[in-house]
């Protein structure tokens, strides 16, 4: 879990964990144990997150981690899916009147070490023959604070993280995220290689939440639909027919329990990142595949 990123994983004024990734953790606990609160959150830095997974200190990493070939094929981890399609961007002061990151020639750019952001920023400027000065910090929070102190001219990270960072700056409206997208960042849950059953459990829990939105199964309606639905897709999702949960070693109501705990994918998004949140992010690529305009969220079929 992230140590503190508005919208994704943070503690409220009562010390309760909240956020997009937090809700997926709770959904996993509900699917596996029937209790959304049967989860222990372990806040980790970017540099510690994969070591913690490898050492067995955590069972699953839900922490805005990008699915890359080196992590998936070279480091002994398995990405169980993608819950957020992101890209790296640049946050700058509105007063600079910049239209593009290509205008940052000679600029100081704050980035976090141990993340893909540092590599992506270097690739972006190198491929365009632009000189820049990287200012590297151990944590995203430290990089953001340095930008806030004007120790650098731009802050580069995932666009969702920049949106979160802007909300906690002294005057958010004085800062703008440039339109440039420097990379593709498919974010999702990670498990240690070697336990295919566990990887499948995490993967299908994520897919169940996506499928629930597509089939219009919500937190408020899930119990009633489990009894009255006639659509075979909904009945299979909610355990009214078939033996899909037991295929994973779970109860027949695993998906119903997950949706009942946190809602479907769209509810999780809107509550934490979308119109009901301080970030007010558009669905964009994270809209359903059959939405208008269409996105990339595509729940795998349960059949």
């Amino acid at each position: 879990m992230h140590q503190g990123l508005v919208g994704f994983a943070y503690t409220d004024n009562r010390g309760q964990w909240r956020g997009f990734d937090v809700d997926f953790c709770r959904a996993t606990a509900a699917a596996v144990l029937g209790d959304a609160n049967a989860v222990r959150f372990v806040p980790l830095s970017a540099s510690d997150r994969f070591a913690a997974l490898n050492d067995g200190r955590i069972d699953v990493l839900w922490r805005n981690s990008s699915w890359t070939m080196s992590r998936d094929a070279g480091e002994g981890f398995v990405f169980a899916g993608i819950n957020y399609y992101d890209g790296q961007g640049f946050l700058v002061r509105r007063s600079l009147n910049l239209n593009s990151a290509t205008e940052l020639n000679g600029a100081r750019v704050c980035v976090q070490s141990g993340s893909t952001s540092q590599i992506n920023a270097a690739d972006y400027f190198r491929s365009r023959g632009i000189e820049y000065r990287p200012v590297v910090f151990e944590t995203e929070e430290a990089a953001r604070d340095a930008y806030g102190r004007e120790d650098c001219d731009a802050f580069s990270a995932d666009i969702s993280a920049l949106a979160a960072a802007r909300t906690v700056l002294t005057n958010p409206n004085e800062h703008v995220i440039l339109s440039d997208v420097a990379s593709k960042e498919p974010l999702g849950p990670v498990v240690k290689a070697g336990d295919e059953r566990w990887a499948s459990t995490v993967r299908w829990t994520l897919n169940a939440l996506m499928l629930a939105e597509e089939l219009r199964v919500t937190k408020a309606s899930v119990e009633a639909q489990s009894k009255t639905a006639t659509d075979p897709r909904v009945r299979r999702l909610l355990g009214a027919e078939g033996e899909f949960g037991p295929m994973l070693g779970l109860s027949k109501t695993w998906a119903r329990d997950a949706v009942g705990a946190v809602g479907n994918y769209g509810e999780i998004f809107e509550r934490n990142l979308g119109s009901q949140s301080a970030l007010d992010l558009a669905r964009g690529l994270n809209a359903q595949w059959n939405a208008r305009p269409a996105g990339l969220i595509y729940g795998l079929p349960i059949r």
Side-chain angles (χ1 to χ4, degrees):
M1 189 61 59
H2 201 288
Q3 292 166 304
L5 181 62
V6 174
F8 284 87
Y10 62 98
T11 52
D12 62 18
N13 54 14
R14 294 180 297 174
Q16 298 295 311
W17 280 97
R18 301 198 179 280
F20 187 71
D21 287 334
V22 170
D23 279 349
F24 282 106
C25 283
R26 295 192 190 282
T28 305
V32 176
L33 302 171
D35 182 359
N37 294 315
V39 57
R40 181 169 62 90
F41 298 109
V42 181
L44 296 165
S45 68
S47 57
D48 290 339
R49 55 186 162 168
F50 290 107
L53 184 60
N54 190 57
D55 295 344
R57 284 180 280 154
I58 58 174
D59 299 304
V60 57
L61 178 65
W62 288 95
R63 188 199 181 282
N64 62 327
S65 299
S66 298
W67 190 344
T68 67
M69 184 173 182
S70 60
R71 289 172 176 171
D72 188 59
E75 298 181 13
F77 302 116
V78 174
F79 279 77
I82 299 169
N83 72 329
Y84 191 88
Y85 291 89
D86 210 343
Q88 187 166 328
F90 300 88
L91 182 68
V92 299
R93 290 167 188 81
R94 194 180 295 274
S95 60
L96 294 178
N97 292 317
L98 298 179
N99 295 311
S100 170
T102 58
E103 300 173 59
L104 288 169
N105 191 46
R108 300 164 300 164
V109 179
C110 281
V111 292
Q112 180 187 10
S113 63
S115 69
T116 56
S117 299
Q118 185 177 3
I119 298 170
N120 290 337
D123 286 349
Y124 179 86
F125 290 113
R126 179 184 174 189
S127 65
R128 289 162 176 79
I130 299 171
E131 294 292 333
Y132 82 109
R133 293 163 54 193
V135 185
V136 182
F137 295 89
E138 184 175 347
T139 68
E140 202 165 65
E141 182 180 6
R144 181 199 68 208
D145 291 346
Y147 169 78
R149 295 191 304 268
E150 300 192 34
D151 291 344
C152 50
D153 306 298
F155 174 30
S156 187
D158 290 349
I159 292 171
S160 60
L162 297 180
R166 183 168 56 181
T167 66
V168 298
L169 292 172
T170 304
N171 296 296
N173 289 333
E174 293 181 1
H175 306 269
V176 61
I177 299 173
L178 297 175
S179 61
D180 307 75
V181 180
S183 68
K184 293 183 292 184
E185 302 301 328
L187 311 179
V190 195
V191 299
K192 190 175 180 181
D195 189 341
E196 291 303 319
R197 174 65 65 87
W198 177 234
S200 291
T201 297
V202 175
R203 178 180 302 114
W204 283 102
T205 299
L206 170 58
N207 273 281
L209 299 176
M210 293 176 174
L211 195 59
E213 181 186 16
E214 180 183 339
L215 298 176
R216 300 182 181 180
V217 178
T218 67
K219 181 177 181 179
S221 70
V222 65
E223 287 300 324
Q225 285 180 280
S226 68
K227 299 179 177 66
T228 63
T230 57
D231 186 329
R233 298 171 301 170
V234 175
R235 290 178 58 80
R236 289 193 293 267
L237 172 69
L238 302 183
E241 62 181 66
E243 296 289 329
F244 297 96
M247 291 180 185
L248 297 169
L250 307 179
S251 73
K252 292 181 66 173
T253 63
W254 64 284
R256 186 175 81 192
D257 294 340
V259 176
V262 298
N264 63 40
Y265 180 90
E267 291 178 286
I268 296 170
F269 187 101
E270 292 303 324
R271 179 169 61 244
N272 295 295
L273 307 178
S275 59
Q276 300 172 21
S277 75
L279 273 63
D280 195 21
L281 292 172
R283 288 289 294 266
L285 294 177
N286 297 292
Q288 285 278 343
W289 66 281
N290 57 352
R292 294 292 179 268
L296 299 177
I297 297 301
Y298 187 105
L300 303 178
I302 294 176
R303 60 172 184 261

